[in-house]
Amino acid sequence: MNELLEHKIWVQGREEPIGGRRDVSLQQTLAEQGLPISADCGGLGSCGKCRIAVLAGDVEGIRVESEQVGEPLYLACRTYPRGDITVSLPTGKSAGKGDLGEFTWPVEQPLFEKVVLRIEYPSLTKHCSLQQAVVQGLADQGLNGTGSGLNQLDVLRQLSLLGESKPAAVTAVFFQQEVIALEAGDTGDCLYGVAFDIGTTTVAGMLVDLRTNKLLAVCSRTNPQISFGADVISRIRVAQERVEGLAELAQVIRQCLNQVIAELCVTAAIEPAAIYGATIVGNTTMIQLLLSLAPSSLAQQPYAALFNHLAPLPAALLELNINPQGVGVILPNIASFVGSDTTGAILAVDLDRAVAPALLVDLGTNGEMAIGGKDRLFACSTAAGPAFEGAHIRDGMRAVNGAIQDVEIAGDVTLTVIGDGPPKGICGSGMIKAVAEMLRAGIVSASGRFNNKHITPLPPAVANRLRQQDGQWEFVLVGESDEGRSAVAITQGDIRQIQLVKASICTGIEYLLERAGLSADLPLHLAGAFGNYVDVDSACRIGMFPGIAAEQILAVGNAAAIGGMKALTDQKNLWRGQRLIEKVEYVELAAQPDFQQRFLQNLQLGTPTQK
């Protein structure tokens, strides 16, 4: 029974403590409370990224070397409270208003609408049901045949309350031309929706005024499931092997969506009840985890998804804190590993309507891509891995304050760091730039190996950064300082991670070009948060986009979420997304007979002429 005792865990910066148990790791406890800590290894204690400072109290676990005297650091995934404790979590929040930008497109058939009705209530001289009175009010507005939702019990309960107060005006809320809610008075100026993109690493939400189709606010947060592992395989394993694993994964992502909703509402100064709809996109695993549907079929051959298309769901079923009568719409999945995020991205750039063919690449933890135009489309998915988000990189981190995002090598090394303060690590875009610069300067060869025997032509300040540490070569970006700050360096293993990502993307593009019978002389829409910030010249230098020049590339931002917004505002866009299930031909890369050989060849850095 002693193992079940609950202790108080005080988190620095929070007013109230959370409860923790002796048999539950600090990482798991914090994740369940909406305080996720990155754990690339899925809590196996091998990545060392889930460090937290224990400021007071007793714990039992794995202590790691501290950068600050008097600040004991522990691996949260392998540390357990042994009494009331106080902890300090890593800094670096990935949330905010974001850059709204400009998003405009014609709306032909709104998905959500409000119509103000004038109701003639039943009387002794005109007998009818309240339902019939509303149907007549709809007919007076030319809305014959749109009252089928009046058969739903939730709507009838609302109608019962209206029958008691008999307001002069009643506002009918429509979803797909069916009534989903009735409200007293004229509430026609209050109609909002939110489009979610649930990424493996980042969750983004976009708040839209559905009357004007104007984007009001953007918010992004770290996917709290990152505490269970950096990639989808780690999370599938948790769902399979831990008794409550699937429920925990569903709970933390639903909490995250509601945190995003709350922040969007604060930014736009609206109430959550003013939001009537949500569209949701994400890779296949993320969507099944959201729905608390076991993704086990995705982890074994033939790697089949559970579904492609879902009917709209009551928001309450997803535990979304929006209007009680609200609706959640999950866009269709195209194939097992080409999820609804790719559907959204295709809608965003109108690839399914393009007269001239184009290529779409969404760079993230999973690299999805599509090619073609209005007549024919092909798509595939590559296991790019989470290196773009700093995972599996020794000094890697997400693109938050303290992350090196740009590297230039000339007479010495020049760094650009996000935010104020000293560099703490390097993010994905910084890694791509650093590897490209080292390749250009001859510090690494096309094989990805350090040229440690040929450093004499390098400027001394650059050559001195190449050193051996713990039996392997590394290139130091930030040396140890008098304050005890650890070095930030790029190791041979880090370069290998970038090579794996590069080979995945490059090989996928090659197969799509061949299947579509197209040359590389076509536009490339580069999507995803990472794709928006990566230096395309550097990506081309290391050969990530075979045969494609930087001038052909257009960064399109979070295309998945933008596609979700297009479906949220226009029913015809939602229908387009549903038709993609039949229109897009899926290319399974692992089934190609020469896949392994080609992948290994593409591990080489540089363009074919450089190789």
Side-chain angles (χ1 to χ4, degrees), residues 441-523:
I443 299 169
V444 298
S445 65
S447 68
R449 294 187 177 276
F450 283 112
N451 284 327
N452 53 292
K453 296 181 180 180
H454 307 285
I455 63 174
T456 49
L458 296 174
V462 175
N464 291 337
R465 292 176 178 271
L466 191 60
R467 70 181 186 184
Q468 268 196 315
Q469 185 77 10
D470 299 328
Q472 71 168 331
W473 287 94
E474 65 181 25
F475 187 74
V476 178
L477 300 180
V478 181
E480 294 87 347
S481 68
D482 294 337
E483 293 78 23
R485 186 173 68 244
S486 296
V488 178
I490 296 176
T491 70
Q492 191 71 70
D494 296 339
I495 296 173
R496 175 60 57 168
Q497 289 296 323
I498 296 302
Q499 288 180 274
L500 292 172
V501 172
K502 177 263 177 185
S504 295
I505 301 299
C506 179
T507 305
I509 292 175
E510 287 179 346
Y511 277 116
L512 285 187
L513 288 170
E514 291 174 8
R515 182 63 68 89
L518 296 170
S519 70
D521 184 21
L522 78 178

Side-chain angles (χ1 to χ4, degrees), residues 124-271:
L124 290 175
T125 57
K126 184 180 180 180
H127 183 74
C128 64
S129 68
L130 289 170
Q131 184 187 62
Q132 289 173 315
V134 174
V135 170
Q136 183 58 52
L138 291 171
D140 292 343
Q141 295 278 2
L143 298 172
N144 292 302
T146 61
S148 58
L150 296 173
N151 299 323
Q152 302 299 315
L153 287 179
D154 286 345
V155 178
L156 290 175
R157 290 188 183 98
Q158 292 179 320
L159 183 56
S160 175
L161 296 175
L162 295 176
E164 296 176 6
S165 58
K166 295 184 174 58
V170 171
T171 301
V173 184
F174 288 87
F175 168 72
Q176 291 185 324
Q177 289 80 56
E178 290 192 8
V179 176
I180 60 170
L182 293 171
E183 299 174 341
D186 183 348
T187 65
D189 61 350
C190 181
L191 182 62
Y192 302 92
V194 60
F196 286 111
D197 173 23
I198 304 178
T200 308
T201 305
T202 304
V203 176
M206 296 184 168
L207 181 68
V208 182
D209 186 331
L210 297 178
R211 299 166 304 146
T212 62
N213 299 316
K214 180 181 179 181
L215 178 61
L216 300 179
V218 176
C219 172
S220 64
R221 286 181 174 268
T222 300
N223 186 331
Q225 292 174 341
I226 200 170
S227 293
F228 299 89
D231 51 42
V232 296
I233 299 301
S234 300
R235 298 177 201 177
I236 291 174
R237 187 182 301 118
V238 170
Q240 289 177 315
E241 299 176 357
R242 188 180 294 180
V243 175
E244 298 295 330
L246 181 60
E248 291 171 358
L249 287 161
Q251 179 189 29
V252 296
I253 191 59
R254 293 182 182 190
Q255 287 176 344
C256 181
L257 295 186
N258 284 326
Q259 290 167 354
V260 171
I261 289 170
E263 184 164 335
L264 291 172
C265 288
V266 169
T267 302
I270 68 169
E271 294 295 324

Side-chain angles (χ1 to χ4, degrees), residues 520-544:
D521 184 21
L522 78 178
L524 190 163
H525 300 289
L526 193 57
F530 181 82
N532 209 40
Y533 292 103
V534 68
D535 182 79
V536 293
D537 289 312
S538 297
C540 291
R541 177 176 292 279
I542 68 173
M544 187 174 292

Side-chain angles (χ1 to χ4, degrees), residues 261-323:
I261 289 170
E263 184 164 335
L264 291 172
C265 288
V266 169
T267 302
I270 68 169
E271 294 295 324
I275 299 174
Y276 291 85
T279 50
I280 302 172
V281 302
N283 67 59
T284 313
T285 302
M286 293 301 101
I287 295 300
Q288 289 192 207
L289 293 178
L290 169 71
L291 298 172
S292 197
L293 296 172
S296 52
S297 63
L298 292 168
Q300 54 193 4
Q301 290 185 342
Y303 309 110
L306 183 61
F307 62 88
N308 290 97
H309 177 262
L310 279 180
L313 301 169
L317 189 65
L318 298 173
E319 300 177 342
L320 293 179
N321 185 25
I322 62 176
N323 191 284

